[in-house]
Amino acid sequence: MSAEKMEPTANVSNGAGPVYEEKKETLSPHDLSEMLAAGTKEVHEKAENTQFVKDFLRGRIRKELFKLGAVALYYTYAAMEDEIERNKDHPHFAPLYFPAELNRHENLARDLEYFYGPDWETQVKCSQATQRYVDRIHEVGQEDPVLLVAHAYTRYMGDLSGGQVLKKVAQRALKLPSTGEGLEFYQFDAIHSAKAFKQLYRSRMNELELDVETKKKLVAEAVKAFQFNMEVFDELEEMGKSIQEDVLDAGMPVHGATGGDISKCPYYNAKMAASGGSAYACQLAMAVLRHPTGQVLFATWFAALAGLAAWYWM
């Protein structure tokens, strides 16, 4: 298997950040990115088949869950970026330190202000499942910072993959302003090319001087990240049962409803989009656009799920 390695040039394109030159690089099964992909395959499939995820793919969700999901993401990213800043000079994380390009918690704060108003901080709180995730991030940041690599790579690479495919879909479904309010989580102003940046990030990660045992620890930590997110999904499902709103039922197909045609599966199309296939990205977007009420749920929560699974897809 091969991948492309990029290093930034001195050029800046349209004020959007560095441009990356592409150089061929051969990947090994012992590279960290490859070990993560193989080591998380099983838990990814479990995450994909949680009831919450299956329901949102069918378009069955209460509208309030959209905002609650953004709240969970805010607390997760605030914790992760606090620990990244604390460990920015750590030799096993410094090459992956891209705050201007990647940081999300301030973007999410602006999204929450848009949805809840200027006093949003008095209206939201960290849920129990999210708090367990946050506590784990702080624990590794303070006691074993190399494990932050698993959390950062899992989340950010997903944000640059499936979340980008569905940004415009979410904007249309929610009738959000074209200026981007409510969707700043998806906006990476300092990254000129998401594909090139993801390849650079994977290359930097594979170049970290880590022994085999440390790489295995990182795979185990990535599995934990999936598990924490599944707990958040399950918690949101329970919260949804007490929210008195009409259920959105857009009938988004899941694996069992595709009639054996994998190309109709939203996860399959997301996989192709994340790997850079523009045709599949269009196919996914059009599939969602045929289900207007399902767009809100699919766009928002796929962005969160993509954060868990995108590096497995890549």
Side-chain angles (χ1 to χ4, degrees):
M1 179 179 290
S2 64
E4 296 170 333
K5 174 183 176 182
M6 270 69 54
E7 289 297 336
T9 70
N11 296 324
V12 175
S13 175
N14 300 322
V19 177
Y20 302 98
E21 294 181 347
E22 299 185 359
K23 298 178 182 179
K24 290 293 182 70
E25 178 186 52
T26 301
L27 287 175
S28 160
H30 301 293
D31 283 337
L32 182 56
S33 63
E34 300 300 284
M35 292 178 67
L36 284 168
T40 59
K41 181 178 180 180
E42 181 178 353
V43 71
H44 167 260
E45 291 173 352
K46 290 180 179 178
E48 178 182 308
N49 284 286
T50 58
Q51 190 60 47
F52 181 82
V53 172
K54 290 192 291 186
D55 284 347
F56 92 68
L57 284 174
R58 294 188 178 100
R60 298 183 58 83
I61 192 173
R62 278 75 172 176
K63 182 179 180 181
E64 188 67 15
L65 292 185
F66 183 90
K67 297 192 294 183
L68 293 177
V71 171
L73 288 172
Y74 170 78
Y75 284 108
T76 300
Y77 280 91
M80 186 170 70
E81 288 163 7
D82 179 52
E83 294 302 333
I84 287 173
E85 188 65 26
R86 185 200 310 273
N87 292 283
K88 62 184 179 182
D89 296 321
H90 192 284
H92 290 151
F93 197 88
L96 303 177
Y97 182 64
F98 292 97
E101 291 85 353
L102 294 176
N103 278 9
R104 298 290 89 200
H105 82 275
E106 291 183 359
N107 294 55
L108 282 159
R110 289 191 291 271
D111 287 342
L112 293 176
E113 182 176 0
Y114 175 81
F115 288 116
Y116 287 96
D119 62 341
W120 65 270
E121 290 180 280
T122 67
Q123 299 184 52
V124 304
K125 64 179 181 179
C126 188
S127 69
Q128 291 183 359
T130 304
Q131 188 63 54
R132 289 191 291 272
Y133 193 3
V134 165
D135 289 345
R136 177 57 183 171
I137 291 171
H138 284 307
E139 180 183 5
V140 302
Q142 295 170 26
E143 298 181 7
D144 198 357
V146 68
L147 298 183
L148 284 174
V149 173
H151 291 278
Y153 185 60
T154 298
R155 289 250 40 112
Y156 290 131
M157 296 302 96
D159 300 336
L160 289 167
S161 300
Q164 295 305 295
V165 173
L166 296 172
K167 176 186 174 183
K168 291 184 179 179
V169 176
Q171 188 174 56
R172 176 175 175 176
L174 290 169
K175 296 181 173 59
L176 295 174
S178 60
T179 46
E181 288 90 337
L183 290 171
E184 292 196 38
F185 171 69
Y186 302 94
Q187 188 65 37
F188 291 82
D189 293 327
I191 295 179
H192 173 70
S193 166
K195 180 180 178 181
F197 186 87
K198 287 185 293 182
Q199 291 172 329
L200 167 67
Y201 199 93
R202 290 196 299 272
S203 176
R204 290 277 187 93
M205 189 179 64
N206 289 335
E207 291 172 357
L208 294 175
E209 295 184 3
L210 304 172
D211 58 33
V212 173
E213 289 305 311
T214 302
K215 290 180 181 180
K216 289 180 179 178
K217 286 174 60 179
L218 281 165
V219 172
E221 190 65 25
V223 170
K224 287 181 181 179
F226 274 88
Q227 292 169 339
F228 282 120
N229 279 272
M230 286 190 288
E231 290 178 9
V232 173
F233 292 151
D234 290 342
E235 182 183 61
L236 285 167
E237 183 189 355
E238 289 301 311
M239 289 179 178
K241 294 177 181 178
S242 63
I243 296 174
Q244 300 300 315
E245 295 184 28
D246 291 336
V247 176
L248 301 179
D249 190 357
M252 292 297 293
V254 292
H255 290 297
T258 60
D261 184 354
I262 193 172
S263 67
K264 297 178 183 178
C265 172
Y267 274 108
Y268 176 79
N269 288 310
K271 173 181 177 180
M272 296 298 104
S275 66
S278 59
Y280 284 100
C282 294
Q283 182 179 356
L284 173 61
M286 292 183 67
V288 176
L289 288 172
R290 286 197 291 270
H291 301 81
T293 56
Q295 293 167 359
V296 175
L297 169 63
F298 191 46
T300 304
W301 278 104
F302 184 80
L305 183 64
L308 305 176
W311 51 256
Y312 165 64
W313 291 137
M314 294 181 291

